[in-house]
């Protein structure tokens, strides 16, 4: 379908940070065909749909670079606990009761929430990933999915063959909307041989790895006891960092760890809400960016956030580092927005395809209704998005050239049915 968006104010997130006013944007076969402020540009363009964006702002869809979307089932369960008690004492026992069908519905709820809050791409690490892929394929969202090579809680890598099968079945499927990486949950749930094997599996199929990294001080201390080195050091030694890596958290990095992550081109995912809620600490994002490290943003799962709202993550990311360092010039609005768009695209292996609004990029974009009291007057669109906008201001969402939400109505998800099913699942597993 060819879509013409007219009268659009556009935040492009391109290299020159262009913000356009009253522009025309054409989408053809899923790609951005043209962007122009002159009406001449559309004379040869035959639109099947015309969207009048007057009063709305067009920007790239947000990239939630680290989440566990099926964890929506555990939303608002086990709060105000330290990570180890939260994870091992509360979350894992409930997760053992979750069936593949449960994960399907929980993921659909997560995807519905993400689309309604402007997220068009996410990176997911969770259980029963076959069901996650099914939910992604049906809803039209874009995702980087990963599968663990470990056989249940056993640390042997007997499941590697299932990683190959999952990769073969889903990677680059649905017009390239799905990308498949290998899951290495963390260095505390893996051991040295399984880290090595995971790296080998990723290299063999030429893909990347998604890992939780140096989230808490305890994780770093335990790693020193277990391996005699930091998580970053053991990942470097075992080959984990020889492939593209999505490293969630990186809250506690020594200068040495920071150097490894920079030199190995590891992508860091900053999860400010989750890190604050679990009392893990605050990542040195400013230092990472100054070191040239690619930093993206994520919500983490709904059990430690407790929503999947990237507007909140941008807002927090732009605020907390100013406060911690008593320096209001750190992580400006444009920087926070880029972490949630272009940097996220790059981190998830979709760099050059999505994350900015430029001719030739895939059409993943959102329209924000700016005719709101809390957005009046807009003055500076980028600051408005990061500091004033609410996720509920997202009006229309286009992914891969398809309209998946219009006037806040989801086109690919039966929201009421999904909410009903997830409430039933929660009643069963949380009692
Ligand atoms: Ni996580």
């Amino acid at each position: 379908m060819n879509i013409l968006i007219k009268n659009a104010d556009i935040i492009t997130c391109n290299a020159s940070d262009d913000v356009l006013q009253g522009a025309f944007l054409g989408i053809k076969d899923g790609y951005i065909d043209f962007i122009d402020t002159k009406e001449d540009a559309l004379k040869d363009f035959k639109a099947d749909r015309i969207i009048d964006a007057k009063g709305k702002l067009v920007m790239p869809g947000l990239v939630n670079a680290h989440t566990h979307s099926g964890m929506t089932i555990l939303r608002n369960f086990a709060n105000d606990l330290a990570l180890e008690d939260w994870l091992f004492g509360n979350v894992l026992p409930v997760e053992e009761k979750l069936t593949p069908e449960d994960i399907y519905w929980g993921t659909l709820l997560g995807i519905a929430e993400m689309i309604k809050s402007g997220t068009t791409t996410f990176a997911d690490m969770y259980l029963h990933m076959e069901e996650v892929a099914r939910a992604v394929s049906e809803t039209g969202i874009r995702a980087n999915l990963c599968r663990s090579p470990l056989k249940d809680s056993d640390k042997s890598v007997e499941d590697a063959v299932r990683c190959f099968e999952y990769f073969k079945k889903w990677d680059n499927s649905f017009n390239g909307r799905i990308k498949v990486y290998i899951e290495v949950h963390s260095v505390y749930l893996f051991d040295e041989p399984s880290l090595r094997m995971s790296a080998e599996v990723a290299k063999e199929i030429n893909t990347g790895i998604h890992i939780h990294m140096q989230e808490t001080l305890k994780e770093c201390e335990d790693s020193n006891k277990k391996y005699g080195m930091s998580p970053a050091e053991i990942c470097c030694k075992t080959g984990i960092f020889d492939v593209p890596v999505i490293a969630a958290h990186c809250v506690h990095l020594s200068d040495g760890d920071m150097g490894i992550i920079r030199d190995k081109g590891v992508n860091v995912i900053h999860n400010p809400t989750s890190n604050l809620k679990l009392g893990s600490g605050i990542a040195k994002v400013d230092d990472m960016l100054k070191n040239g490290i690619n930093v993206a943003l994520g919500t983490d799962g709904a059990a430690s956030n407790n929503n999947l709202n990237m507007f909140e993550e941008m807002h927090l990311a732009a605020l907390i580092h100013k406060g911690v360092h008593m320096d209001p010039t750190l992580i400006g609005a444009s920087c926070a927005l880029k972490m949630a768009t272009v940097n996220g695209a790059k981190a998830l292996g979709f760099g050059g395809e999505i994350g900015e609004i430029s001719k030739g990029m895939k059409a993943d974009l959102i329209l924000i209704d700016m005719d709101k009291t809390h957005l009046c007057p807009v003055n500076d669109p980028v600051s408005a998005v990061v500091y004033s906008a609410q996720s509920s201001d997202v009006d229309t969402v286009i992914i891969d050239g398809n309209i998946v939400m219009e006037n806040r109505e989801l086109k690919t998800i039966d929201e009421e049915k999904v909410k009903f099913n997830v409430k039933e699942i929660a009643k069963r597993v949380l009692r």
Side-chain angles (χ1 to χ4, degrees):
M1 184 163 71
N2 291 0
I3 302 170
L4 171 67
I5 303 177
K6 61 177 192 178
N7 301 319
D9 290 347
I10 303 176
I11 298 177
T12 62
C13 288
N14 66 10
S16 36
D17 287 326
D18 291 329
V19 177
L20 310 173
Q21 287 191 321
F24 300 91
L25 187 156
I27 297 171
K28 191 177 178 186
D29 301 328
Y31 288 86
I32 297 172
D33 193 49
F34 66 84
I35 314 168
D36 213 303
T37 49
K38 293 181 215 71
E39 206 157 355
D40 300 1
L42 47 107
K43 67 177 189 303
D44 298 325
F45 188 77
K46 285 191 178 50
D48 303 303
R49 271 294 314 272
I50 297 176
I51 296 174
D52 189 347
K54 196 162 178 51
K56 299 194 174 71
L57 182 73
V58 177
M59 58 172 271
L62 301 173
V63 178
N64 183 354
H66 175 71
T67 189
H68 317 275
S69 53
M71 273 187 125
T72 48
I73 297 164
L74 283 78
R75 198 195 305 273
N76 302 323
F77 164 74
N79 296 277
D80 310 326
L81 298 169
L83 186 130
E84 287 74 23
D85 189 12
W86 171 80
L87 180 62
F88 294 105
N90 292 274
V91 170
L92 291 178
V94 173
E95 287 180 340
E96 279 169 21
K97 297 186 208 166
L98 294 172
T99 67
E101 194 69 8
D102 295 342
I103 298 297
Y104 171 71
W105 290 106
T107 304
L108 280 183
L109 181 66
I111 292 172
E113 183 186 354
M114 285 192 273
I115 292 175
K116 292 195 88 171
S117 52
T119 290
T120 53
T121 299
F122 69 107
D124 202 271
M125 173 200 285
Y126 208 41
L127 320 163
H128 306 301
M129 292 303 290
E130 193 68 33
E131 297 302 313
V132 179
R134 178 157 75 102
V136 169
S137 67
E138 290 173 5
T139 54
I141 200 164
R142 193 181 302 281
N144 177 311
L145 308 178
C146 60
R147 202 186 188 292
S148 176
L150 292 196
K151 188 171 178 286
D152 301 323
S153 54
D154 181 352
K155 289 185 178 54
S156 65
V157 189
E158 290 173 37
D159 234 4
V161 67
R162 296 225 183 99
C163 285
F164 290 125
E165 285 167 3
Y166 187 75
F167 181 85
K168 220 168 125 189
K169 180 170 176 190
W170 295 104
D171 185 64
N172 205 27
S173 63
F174 292 88
N175 207 28
R177 275 196 291 114
I178 298 180
K179 198 174 280 298
V180 174
Y181 275 21
I182 300 299
E183 169 192 337
V184 175
H185 179 278
S186 54
V187 303
Y188 54 90
L189 290 189
F190 278 57
D191 59 14
E192 190 164 340
S194 59
L195 288 171
R196 251 179 230 292
M197 273 301 294
S198 304
E200 287 308 314
V201 170
K203 281 178 202 167
E204 180 143 352
I205 52 180
N206 195 24
T207 195
I209 285 173
H210 187 170
I211 185 170
H212 291 104
M213 167 83 47
Q214 308 199 189
E215 181 174 2
T216 63
L217 267 184
K218 186 173 185 313
E219 177 187 335
C220 300
E221 288 161 9
D222 290 350
S223 173
N224 272 316
K225 280 185 214 144
K226 184 173 171 182
Y227 303 107
M229 56 189 91
S230 71
E233 287 166 339
I234 187 67
C235 283
C236 193
K237 185 183 167 200
T238 53
I240 296 286
F241 285 173
D242 293 344
V243 299
V245 173
I246 302 170
H249 306 302
C250 298
V251 176
H252 300 281
L253 297 183
S254 67
D255 289 348
D257 296 330
M258 183 97 71
I260 291 170
I261 280 173
R262 178 197 59 220
D263 294 347
K264 287 291 190 176
V266 171
N267 300 284
V268 171
I269 316 305
H270 181 36
N271 298 267
T273 303
S274 177
N275 295 156
L276 288 171
K277 184 161 187 276
L278 291 169
S280 302
I282 296 173
K284 295 179 219 161
V285 171
D286 184 55
D287 285 352
M288 292 185 212
L289 291 169
K290 281 181 182 142
N291 267 288
I293 294 168
N294 183 47
V295 183
L297 285 179
T299 59
D300 213 349
S304 63
N305 186 303
N306 294 357
N307 59 40
L308 308 179
N309 178 353
M310 284 292 289
F311 279 83
E312 285 185 3
E313 302 308 319
M314 281 194 288
H315 193 213
L316 260 184
L319 294 183
I320 56 175
H321 306 285
K322 294 173 166 69
V324 166
H325 297 284
M326 293 189 283
D327 181 353
T329 66
L330 298 182
I331 320 291
S334 170
C335 176
L337 186 61
K338 287 201 162 186
M339 285 200 276
T341 53
V342 266
N343 295 12
K346 187 178 169 202
L348 271 48
F350 291 110
E353 289 182 69
I354 56 157
E356 62 177 74
I357 297 185
S358 303
K359 183 178 161 61
M361 301 287 273
K362 290 187 174 177
D364 284 16
L365 49 92
I366 62 178
L367 276 75
I368 300 175
D369 183 358
M370 302 303 275
D371 187 20
K372 298 284 176 78
T373 310
H374 60 267
L375 291 170
C376 179
V378 172
N379 289 327
D380 171 27
V382 174
S383 295
V385 166
V386 174
Y387 295 122
S388 306
Q390 303 296 312
S391 61
S392 52
D393 300 332
V394 177
D395 178 85
T396 295
V397 175
I398 296 173
I399 305 173
D400 213 25
N402 297 310
I403 299 170
V404 295
M405 182 173 85
E406 191 166 22
N407 304 323
R408 293 205 61 71
E409 189 192 319
L410 293 173
K411 302 290 183 192
T412 58
I413 303 173
D414 183 341
E415 217 178 328
E416 291 309 315
K417 186 177 174 186
V418 170
K419 285 194 288 184
F420 175 82
N421 283 336
V422 173
K423 279 190 260 184
E424 292 298 306
I425 294 162
K427 265 189 240 165
R428 191 187 86 237
V429 298
L430 297 181
R431 71 165 167 233

